Amino acid sequence: MSIAFIFPGQGSQTVGMGADLAQAFAAAREVFQEVDDALGQKLFKLMVEGPEGDLTLTENAQPALMAVSLAVSRTLEKEFGVGIDRAAFVAGHSLGEYSALAAAGAITLADTARLLKLRGQAMQRAVPVGEGAMASLIGPKTDLALAEAAAAAGSEVGVCVVANDNNNGNVVISGDKAAVDKAIERAKELGARAIPLNVSAPFHCPLMQPAADEMEEALARTTIIAPRAPLVANVTASPVHDPDVIRRLLVEQVTGRVRWRESMTWLAAEGGVTRFAEAGAGKVLSGMAKRIAPDAEAVPLNSPADLEAFAKTV
């Protein structure tokens, strides 16, 4: 059985996440303390107690979601003997790519926490609140071609691109608010439902270039080593293990498309993955995996019972 560990991105955060892991496992508590120490803030307290509005802030949500993912992966290794070397590949959705790299030992936990804090702040600084927008195009008629046609219509009045190609039936567009509004109108004409997303900035589009520049500087100062399992990168949908290439792709990822559907398709078809294990908060990615690769198994790992059951089958 070939396993890929996949790591969730922003939107999966909920108040209370990680609390049951911390209560059950010393390894999880160690992760949450390390992240708090690295950031100089009581992030775990915010994760457990809220308020939700503060947790949802990009600069908090990104390191918080990573912390839960690393609590899962470290607990699997230290408490159950299931290390990342059991995986054929790792992959993460947007910020989850950092979680994947940390879990695979390419970046230290402390550096990953600091990078994600900066990434959230830089993304927020890049575009004033209200000037950008994102929308999810959904429905049985929604595919990449429809989303690109809608984005092209929006591009007539401003920046508008496909940001996340999640799976057929779920594609996200991003850009200037007026451009996204026009793209939504076109998407509806083409038969898709369009849902404006409650986000603070237009992620994964050219408007994020100032954030990409900040991340390039920060990543240049960060030690990155080859991961213990190859990373299937968001922007290429193909495996990478060279640290210099990883560093470059993490910069490109800020403005580039998250090619998640293609990544999962590659993992199942070319990578031979038969089991996807979603390490972290929520079940979004395991749900996508079941739609993209229906012949593969997909399991969420975010509770002590989930981890125990999974470890018995590896």
Side-chain angles (χ1 to χ4, degrees), residues 93 164-168 170-172 258 260-261 288 292:
H93 193 283
N164 303 340
D165 179 16
N166 290 327
N167 57 258
N168 284 338
N170 181 350
V171 186
V172 176
V258 177
W260 193 252
R261 176 184 56 81
M288 289 183 190
I292 299 168

Side-chain angles (χ1 to χ4, degrees), residues 11-44:
S12 291
Q13 69 275 358
T14 57
V15 172
M17 66 181 186
D20 53 352
L21 294 172
Q23 185 174 8
F25 304 116
R29 293 193 292 275
E30 290 171 3
V31 167
F32 296 134
Q33 188 61 56
E34 282 186 51
V35 172
D36 278 4
D37 291 345
L39 298 180
Q41 74 175 105
K42 294 182 178 179
L43 183 63
F44 182 61

Side-chain angles (χ1 to χ4, degrees), residues 72-159:
V72 168
S73 63
R74 189 178 290 185
T75 296
L76 279 173
E77 183 156 20
K78 288 195 170 185
E79 306 281 355
F80 297 102
V82 179
I84 204 75
D85 51 357
R86 300 287 188 95
F89 301 95
V90 295
H93 193 283
S94 190
L95 82 90
E97 197 154 77
Y98 286 81
S99 305
L101 288 165
I107 310 176
T108 67
L109 176 59
D111 280 346
T112 306
R114 288 188 285 262
L115 284 169
L116 285 174
K117 185 77 172 179
L118 172 63
R119 185 176 182 267
Q121 293 170 335
M123 285 177 155
Q124 189 59 70
R125 282 193 291 264
V127 179
V129 175
E131 292 189 9
M134 299 181 76
S136 181
L137 310 182
I138 61 174
K141 293 186 178 181
T142 300
D143 59 13
L144 181 57
L146 182 150
E148 288 182 331
S155 295
E156 296 173 3
V157 296
V159 172

